[in-house]
């Protein structure tokens, strides 16, 4: 899922200074699960903004709601009336959600309340970790289901590097060495021969280096 | 003797019905809940969310006091621990917007700690008075 965290309140206040009526929109998918932009977080942010405005003797009216997915037009259509009624929208969706809403409602400024951080998993209650960098060329079948792209700070194809010590990465002693994890998993599975293969330099054109990516499914297009 | 009414004793007290509420009854409701102090009984302090505390402050309460069970004595096992963590988080949120974090406080009490609960509430009111000086 997409993992995000709230921006500092001072940043959000700067975006909405001068506004008197704001719509806060949460997203009930990824950012609800990572507890950054769901219904609960919308309510908390609403309170924080109103209290901040009140402290400065300024008036702020807020309207709060959450939709199923901010990154899909059909869900965004449902809130047209509310968007048009307010001076600005604060989106608690991921970057894709903010952009979809801004594209649909071009007359109303849409501001991001979150920093979209990574694709990851809830490791345990209150802890989320990165697992995928959406490189567009998955190699998990060769690495025991552990992504060296997302979990190695250097994104190296044939690891580990010389900075790996006692299973930890040289950039941070708290960080597991991604390639050590791969090694351990393949050892456990009895598939060490996978590591004998030298991986050629990666073609990054499937990743961000190839520019904004697009998938077209002709069978789906109406 | 009933506690005196002060200008900032308009506090809301979220009290767990398994511990704090019974302790308040033991101490004497009139003693603890004098003035504009309001009691809100909850099935577990872990039921209280950040948004409840913030809305209470927004609604004009000077302070929000949360009273839960002692650790290892919570009727719902981890409820009071959850409450304590949410209170810490909400105090951080108050600080982030420039309000005094001590307007929200959490304490643990047992059913038979009536005297202690009187002390907690009076200290809380004193803290709020200091904040408003």
């Amino acid at each position: 899922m997409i993992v995000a965290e709230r921006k500092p309140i001072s940043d959000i206040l700067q975006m909405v200074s001068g506004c008197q009526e704001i719509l806060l929109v949460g997203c009930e998918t990824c950012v609800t699960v990572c507890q950054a932009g769901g219904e609960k977080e919308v309510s908390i942010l609403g309170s924080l903004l109103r209290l901040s405005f009140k402290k400065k003797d300024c008036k702020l009216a807020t309207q709060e709601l959450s939709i199923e997915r901010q990154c899909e037009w059909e869900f965004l259509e449902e809130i047209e009336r509310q968007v048009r009624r307010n001076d600005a929208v604060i989106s608690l969706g991921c970057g894709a959600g903010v952009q979809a809403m801004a594209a649909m409602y071009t007359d109303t400024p849409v501001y991001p309340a979150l920093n979209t951080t990574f694709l990851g998993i809830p490791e345990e209650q209150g802890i989320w970790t990165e697992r995928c960098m959406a490189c567009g060329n998955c190699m998990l079948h060769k690495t025991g289901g552990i992504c060296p792209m997302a979990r190695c700070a250097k994104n190296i194809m044939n690891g580990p590097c010389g900075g790996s010590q006692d299973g930890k990465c040289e950039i941070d002693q708290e960080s597991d060495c991604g390639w050590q994890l791969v090694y351990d998993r393949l050892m456990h599975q009895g598939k060490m021969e996978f590591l004998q293969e030298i991986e050629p330099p990666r073609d990054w054109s499937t990743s961000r280096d190839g520019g904004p990516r697009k998938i077209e499914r002709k069978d789906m297009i109406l | 003797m009933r506690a005196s009414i002060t200008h900032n004793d308009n506090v809301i007290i979220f009290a767990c019905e398994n511990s704090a509420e019974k302790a308040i009854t033991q101490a004497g409701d009139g003693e603890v809940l004098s003035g504009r102090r309001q009691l809100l009984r909850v099935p577990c302090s872990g039921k209280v969310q950040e948004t409840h505390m913030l809305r209470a402050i927004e609604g004009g309460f000077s302070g929000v006091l949360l009273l839960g069970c002692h650790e290892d004595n919570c009727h719902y096992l981890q409820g009071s621990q959850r409450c304590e963590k949410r209170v810490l988080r909400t105090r951080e949120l108050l600080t982030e917007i420039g309000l005094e974090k001590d307007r929200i406080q959490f304490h643990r009490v047992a059913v038979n700690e009536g005297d202690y609960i009187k002390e907690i509430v009076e200290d809380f009111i004193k803290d709020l008075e200091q904040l408003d000086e």
Side-chain angles (χ1 to χ4, degrees):
Chain A
M1 67 178 180
I2 295 167
V3 181
E5 58 185 349
R6 179 172 59 76
K7 284 177 176 289
I9 196 80
S10 54
D11 290 5
I12 301 171
L13 282 169
Q14 211 170 358
M15 294 175 205
V16 297
S17 66
C19 293
Q20 291 185 323
E21 293 179 325
I22 297 173
L23 174 67
L24 289 101
V25 186
C27 180
E28 290 167 12
T29 314
C30 309
V31 291
T32 290
V33 181
C34 69
Q35 300 192 23
E39 196 179 341
K40 191 175 92 175
E41 290 74 31
V42 165
S43 171
I44 291 171
L45 182 59
S47 281
L48 294 175
L49 292 175
R50 288 189 299 271
L51 282 165
S52 300
F53 269 63
K54 197 174 168 186
K55 200 166 160 264
K56 291 179 185 165
D57 285 328
C58 296
K59 278 187 183 167
L60 178 71
T62 59
Q63 196 178 355
E64 300 168 4
L65 56 88
S66 274
I67 57 175
E68 189 69 29
R69 273 191 292 284
Q70 281 192 29
C71 55
E72 290 195 48
W73 309 124
E74 52 264 54
F75 295 111
L76 287 168
E77 281 168 3
E78 293 171 4
I79 60 167
E80 181 178 357
R81 206 162 33 92
Q82 292 93 326
V83 171
R84 303 220 183 277
R85 198 188 293 158
N86 285 279
D87 299 335
V89 176
I90 295 183
S91 162
L92 284 88
C94 68
V98 175
Q99 291 184 63
M101 186 143 29
M104 179 166 258
Y105 300 111
T106 52
D107 293 339
T108 310
V110 179
Y111 301 124
L114 306 184
N115 287 323
T116 306
T117 317
F118 55 78
L119 297 178
I121 61 163
E123 187 86 41
E124 56 184 272
Q125 180 81 10
I127 297 175
W128 294 267
T129 51
E130 185 170 13
R131 286 291 188 276
C132 176
M133 56 184 278
C135 71
N137 188 7
C138 192
M139 61 183 288
L140 288 167
H141 58 296
K142 293 179 178 177
T143 55
I146 292 164
C147 178
M149 294 297 105
R151 304 188 72 178
C152 167
K154 296 174 182 169
N155 311 131
I156 55 175
M157 297 294 290
N158 299 279
C161 72
S164 173
Q165 273 205 331
D166 302 323
K168 298 292 177 189
C169 176
E170 66 181 336
I171 60 138
D172 175 10
Q173 284 303 302
E174 294 291 307
S175 237
D176 289 325
C177 165
W179 273 102
Q180 180 71 50
L181 295 174
V182 171
Y183 185 96
D184 292 344
R185 177 72 55 81
L186 291 177
M187 173 85 96
H188 176 73
Q189 292 178 347
K191 290 185 174 168
M192 291 296 281
E193 68 274 11
F194 280 24
L195 290 177
Q196 299 293 328
E197 222 174 290
I198 304 293
E199 285 296 324
R202 197 170 182 79
D203 174 5
W204 288 101
S205 65
T206 59
S207 186
R208 290 288 312 129
D209 294 23
R213 290 165 283 178
K214 185 179 183 180
I215 293 174
E216 273 188 23
R217 283 273 306 270
K218 293 213 180 335
D219 58 319
M220 303 283 291
I221 298 169
L222 294 174
Chain B
M1 194 181 89
R2 287 170 72 91
S4 61
I5 297 172
T6 66
H7 70 285
N8 47 13
D9 74 342
N10 61 333
V11 298
I12 185 161
I13 303 170
F14 288 94
C16 167
E17 67 180 9
N18 299 295
S19 56
E21 194 212 8
K22 291 186 170 86
I24 289 170
T25 306
Q26 192 199 53
D29 292 0
E31 284 277 326
V32 181
L33 303 174
S34 59
R36 292 179 291 171
R37 301 167 197 181
Q38 287 188 32
L39 176 71
L40 190 62
R41 185 182 69 174
V42 287
C44 173
S45 60
K47 173 71 187 151
V48 186
Q49 302 282 331
E50 294 92 330
T51 189
H52 297 135
M53 304 176 221
L54 291 170
R55 295 257 166 144
I57 297 287
E58 250 191 276
F61 284 103
S62 298
V64 182
L65 181 62
L66 295 100
L67 302 170
C69 302
H70 285 288
E71 216 171 324
D72 303 327
N73 202 27
C74 174
H75 201 71
Y76 297 99
L77 306 177
Q78 293 178 328
S80 63
Q81 288 175 55
R82 288 181 196 279
C83 182
E84 187 173 27
K85 285 182 178 168
R86 285 188 194 130
V87 167
L88 288 172
R89 167 88 180 121
T90 314
R91 282 163 61 91
E92 283 172 8
L93 293 174
L94 286 188
T95 305
E96 199 182 346
I97 58 170
L99 293 179
E100 303 91 348
K101 63 179 181 182
D102 283 342
R103 294 196 181 276
I104 299 177
Q105 294 186 21
F106 170 77
H107 292 276
R108 298 176 183 281
V109 288
V111 173
N112 59 354
E113 291 182 308
D115 287 340
Y116 178 46
I117 218 162
K118 272 195 275 186
E119 211 178 290
I120 289 171
V121 174
E122 291 309 319
D123 286 349
F124 182 54
I125 302 292
K126 277 181 201 158
D127 286 348
L128 293 177
E129 281 172 354
Q130 277 179 356
L131 293 178
D132 289 337
E133 269 175 13

